[in-house]
Amino acid sequence: DNTVMTPGQDFVKTWRVKNNGTCPWGAGYALTFTGTGTKMDGQFIAFTEVIQPGQEVEVSVQFKAPTQAGNYVSTWTMTNPRGVTFPEAIYVKITVQ
């Protein structure tokens, strides 16, 4: 976080998360923008495997930095196939110069 970016720079943010639930994460599970902060054209990079309860996994979102200088935050949460969001959120914070 607090990485300095150039205006319009493409970047990928990766988080390491743990499935603390009782259901596997597979098709239809995704990180979704919470509406807090700036989306920065974020696109979740889909899982390539099923994540079992107790398993840790790296999850990534492809972003594009805003074109205006400033500090930006984008907040995301896991969502299941029925559109139910998880209570925990993760974020990325950048500085555009």
Side-chain angles (χ1 to χ4, degrees), residues 24-45:
W25 299 344
Y29 281 79
L31 279 179
T32 56
F33 180 60
T34 66
T36 301
T38 304
K39 188 173 181 187
M40 294 190 273
D41 295 329
Q43 297 295 317
F44 172 65
I45 300 171

Side-chain angles (χ1 to χ4, degrees), residues 6-89:
T6 58
Q9 180 178 340
D10 290 321
F11 68 99
V12 174
K13 170 66 177 177
T14 300
W15 299 268
R16 185 146 190 90
V17 298
K18 184 175 183 176
N19 180 349
N20 287 325
T22 58
C23 299
W25 299 344
Y29 281 79
L31 279 179
T32 56
F33 180 60
T34 66
T36 301
T38 304
K39 188 173 181 187
M40 294 190 273
D41 295 329
Q43 297 295 317
F44 172 65
I45 300 171
F47 293 123
T48 58
E49 61 185 67
V50 174
I51 314 307
Q52 298 298 327
Q55 185 178 357
E56 289 188 358
V57 65
E58 290 186 348
V59 294
S60 299
V61 174
Q62 172 74 45
F63 289 102
K64 184 178 205 74
T67 57
Q68 298 294 318
N71 296 312
Y72 296 90
V73 175
S74 188
T75 307
W76 295 70
T77 190
M78 189 68 68
T79 304
N80 74 16
R82 293 174 301 201
V84 177
T85 58
F86 292 22
E88 298 86 8

